[in-house]
Amino acid sequence: MTALSFETFPPKSLNASFHLWDTVKTLAPLNPRFVSVTYGAGGSTRELTQESAQTLRKTSGLRVAAHLTCTDQSRADVMRVAARYAAAGITDIVALRGDASTGDGFEPHPDGFANSIELIDALARDGQFNIRVGAYPDSHPDAISMAQNIDWLKAKIDAGATEAITQFFFEADTFLRFRDACAAAGIKAPIIPGILPVSNWASAKSFAQRCGTAIPADIGTAFDRATRENRADLYALTHCSDLCDTLICGGVDALHFYTLNRPDLTLQVCRALGLVPAANIRNVA
């Protein structure tokens, strides 16, 4: 059975909080390995992330992984947040460099971690955490080459990370080539593909441009056409299901879905793949 995990983001309003709880309630029956809670750019949702992660941990019974970044914080501040997570029983951390809220690029805090590797090393030395990190099959925008991109990932693993989760991508071969290149570079830690079920094509395109994710011309054209013809949801389901099926056939045994707190499409994809647990019918007449 393919293992599943889901990313959520913290709510900024009462109505948004209902979306988060509905997302977790909808996807919990899929028995995820963990549910992660993101930070906003520049740590803009830092307190909300902490509150949401701790509440999910208390109320859902699920394993929760909290995002933690270096942005706009001293080393001491970051490690105090980590300590609060540990005290709340949250020992899974997604350790990331983070992005500036201004869009001007990352600038280390004068007393902060210079990069994600320093953050990972500190968390690993603390000894309380299972550390996951980001990976970039289309290469990180700041990397000068794919080789440098892979070298940086290897350094994060060597610093103490146990698993990597990739940025989303549109073609299975993008991930499979990246996975094989990482293995050739000596990376032995699991690399989990990040999957974005496209619930809004305009937003997905904008996000892809910001994070350096390539949009193949044929897929972009197909999404544009489906959007014009009011069948975007159907094409998104077909595309995402085919993408995941190809990955599974290629030996992938775990998928991480970026839900955007909209669980329906993710649930439909999992159903299409046969990943929904069978109902217990022992007591059905």
Side-chain angles (χ1 to χ4, degrees):
M1 188 71 162
T2 304
L4 301 172
S5 55
F6 305 110
E7 180 178 288
T8 64
F9 61 82
K12 296 182 180 180
S13 67
L14 178 61
N15 187 54
S17 70
F18 291 134
H19 285 295
L20 172 59
W21 312 136
D22 286 346
T23 296
V24 173
K25 182 178 178 181
T26 298
L27 299 176
L30 298 177
N31 299 319
R33 289 194 301 145
F34 64 91
V35 174
S36 64
V37 184
T38 68
Y39 260 35
S44 57
T45 63
R46 187 176 301 135
E47 289 76 18
L48 290 171
T49 297
Q50 294 174 47
E51 293 172 5
S52 298
Q54 291 172 16
T55 301
L56 286 178
R57 169 68 179 166
K58 290 178 182 177
T59 62
S60 71
L62 298 174
R63 189 164 189 159
V64 175
H67 283 214
L68 186 62
T69 75
C70 310
T71 308
D72 295 336
Q73 300 175 90
S74 69
R75 290 172 179 253
D77 288 339
V78 173
M79 296 309 292
R80 273 193 288 269
V81 173
R84 285 197 290 272
Y85 282 141
I90 298 171
T91 55
D92 286 77
I93 297 289
V94 181
L96 305 165
R97 184 195 69 181
D99 297 315
S101 56
T102 61
D104 294 332
F106 175 79
E107 287 291 337
H109 185 283
D111 299 316
F113 295 108
N115 50 54
S116 59
I117 293 173
E118 290 188 359
L119 170 59
I120 294 158
D121 180 70
L123 291 171
R125 289 176 183 276
D126 185 273
Q128 299 185 79
F129 301 103
N130 178 43
I131 306 164
R132 295 181 175 89
V133 295
Y136 299 86
D138 279 308
S139 193
H140 191 282
D142 292 346
I144 62 174
S145 66
M146 179 55 78
Q148 184 188 57
N149 185 61
I150 293 173
D151 288 344
W152 194 260
L153 175 59
K154 188 174 188 304
K156 290 192 285 188
I157 300 298
D158 291 344
T162 58
E163 185 174 284
I165 303 170
T166 76
Q167 185 57 273
F168 75 97
F169 49 89
F170 288 100
E171 290 184 307
D173 282 350
T174 300
F175 172 82
L176 296 173
R177 285 194 297 267
F178 176 70
R179 178 196 63 182
D180 293 347
C182 288
I187 296 174
K188 297 180 180 179
I191 300 175
I192 311 305
I195 307 298
L196 178 67
V198 178
S199 56
N200 183 300
W201 176 232
S203 296
K205 281 196 296 185
S206 176
F207 188 23
Q209 290 165 358
R210 292 197 304 272
C211 65
T213 297
I215 303 175
D218 59 333
I219 293 175
T221 298
F223 267 113
D224 287 338
R225 182 184 301 117
T227 301
R228 290 195 304 269
E229 296 174 357
N230 295 316
R231 54 181 182 84
D233 289 348
L234 178 60
Y235 180 70
L237 174 60
T238 301
H239 169 262
C240 193
S241 300
D242 287 346
L243 172 66
C244 294
D245 183 62
T246 302
L247 291 171
I248 293 169
C249 291
V252 168
D253 60 6
L255 302 170
H256 182 74
F257 285 90
Y258 298 112
T259 71
L260 304 181
N261 292 7
R262 298 172 181 172
D264 292 345
L265 184 53
T266 295
L267 181 60
Q268 291 172 21
V269 170
C270 291
R271 284 175 173 163
L273 295 168
L275 300 179
V276 176
N280 187 340
I281 61 172
R282 288 183 303 169
N283 298 322
V284 177

